[in-house]
Amino acid sequence: MKTCKIIKNNQRLILLLVYTVLSAVWAYIFIIKTDTLYNKSVFGKPLFYIDWITTLCFIVLVHIGVYSRHYFIVGISTLFLFLFLSEISYFIYYGEVISTGVLDSIIDTTSNEVFSMSKQVLIIIGPAFIATTLILFIFRKIIAAKFKSIIPFFFYIIIYIIALFIVTVITTDSSLNNDIKRGYYKGSANLLRFTHPVVVGNLSYLLASFASTNIYSSTNEIEKFNEAILLPPNKPDNDLVVLIMGEASLVTRYSTYGYHKQTTPLMTNIFSQNGACIIQNSHSAAAFTRDSLPLTLSFNIPESDDNLFNNKSIIEMAKFNHYKTYWLASPLQGIKDSFETKYGFIARKSDVVTFGEDRHDIHLSELLEKTLQQDNSPKKFIFVHLRGSHQPYENYDEIDKQALPDAEKYDLTIHHTDRTVKALYDVINKYSDNYTLIYTSDHGEIVNVGHGVNNTNVDQFLIPFMFISTNDRYNCQFIESFRNPTGYLSGLMNKYILSNLLGYNVDQTILNKEKNNDRVFMPDGSVMPFLKFYNND
């Protein structure tokens, strides 16, 4: 009996030591990967020790819960263990901790996107499930050590309460207070993630993200124009303005931009004509669609969503200046039925929102032709959202495989996009002789990895930008005038380019200020100067 007690005590001591080391390692990883200390010493900051304590308490409480006599507690503890191991699996696979962008995408993602990302999800949760099963077997069959719950539970709850109090104090006198009044709770919940970096912090953020989607449900027209827009607008020069937005399209995979395989011969021909431009050195403003589209189609800025709710979007501005507005998209780019997403908030302001019936983008030209055939409105602004090269890289057909028989799947999707843009261009030419067309992408792609999952790889921001207009006023010099001093054309300039195309003048002082402030919205929710990010890659 005494020997068994000694064995249990030794197991308890060894486990506590293992848990302590694991907690310290995870706290260190979380802090350096979220850059919360802005490159200052990790060990000299109280936050590291707070995260260490809460992580240790979490692990010990899960251990205690697994041995509970109550099945509910055992089930919850097992779920928490699985979620923690999934976070570790995610870090091992991507080299990053789960960011707020990834958590937001979980809430905003449609069922089609969930299915398309199933392979990546299985890569993360598969090992976590196996590890969870193995650990539970070891706990039940080999380890007999138990801990008392009072001490870890006390410390965990006390720190959580203190964190909530600090959040409350901070939000009283800051922009977060306006967010909360508007029904947007994610900013506050994100602060809790910094003190509880394991499972509970992320679950708190997911709950806040879910509760915040109602702020995107309003259908009321916004009356106020952004301060950069000079009123009244001019009579528009363009009868038809079309923005084709690609998806996850990495510019270095385009033969138009020098890639060794002929992935985009058709676009090369289209945008090499008179009145057309192939723009070099372009980057997106964000690595997620949910963030990038609002930064293009509204006066949203990386630092704040206030302008999304306070200023007219590009679509509303088009309607104000007598354009009929269309949102056409691949069925796999569908928006939730409630439209309660950030870019769904913009999309629903369109006069017509329509999704194609075939999953391949090439058929969107049929939808566009149907639209132009049936509508005799003199002015139209059409946004076309492609499936493009989104994982799992299946947006291609036999024609693409025959054209590039030895190409990898990602390159086939780029070739399919090339054919799609050509088909859309042919329809536009057929029905209009006074148009302007832009092709770009919402963000780039880390090929065979994804996007929005890594704070160090610039590929997820490098995108194509191509332009053609029948109006001499809108030439290559017009586009180049929006290039910033660093030499890049930022996705943040899209809103100003579109404003001009739709008949609006822009305050040059405000425009220059934005051009001189080239920054990107990072996957972890931070904002960074693009050149600093690019040079650190």
Side-chain angles (χ1 to χ4, degrees), residues 371-402:
T371 297
L372 295 177
Q373 277 180 341
Q374 296 179 351
D375 193 328
N376 58 1
S377 301
K379 305 288 183 183
K380 303 182 189 67
F381 173 64
I382 301 177
F383 176 77
V384 184
H385 193 191
L386 308 183
R387 180 61 174 173
S389 300
H390 197 287
Q391 285 184 321
Y393 308 150
E394 293 178 349
N395 183 38
Y396 62 86
D397 55 26
E398 287 299 322
I399 296 175
D400 302 301
K401 288 194 286 187
Q402 290 173 12

Side-chain angles (χ1 to χ4, degrees), residues 101-140:
V102 172
L103 295 172
D104 284 333
S105 294
I106 292 173
I107 298 299
D108 289 349
T109 295
T110 63
S111 58
N112 284 326
E113 287 193 330
V114 170
F115 180 77
S116 72
M117 297 296 290
S118 58
K119 181 180 177 181
Q120 284 68 36
V121 172
L122 285 174
I123 289 173
I124 302 302
I125 68 173
F129 179 80
I130 295 171
T132 301
T133 304
L134 182 61
I135 289 172
L136 289 177
F137 176 81
I138 293 173
F139 274 15
R140 289 292 184 178

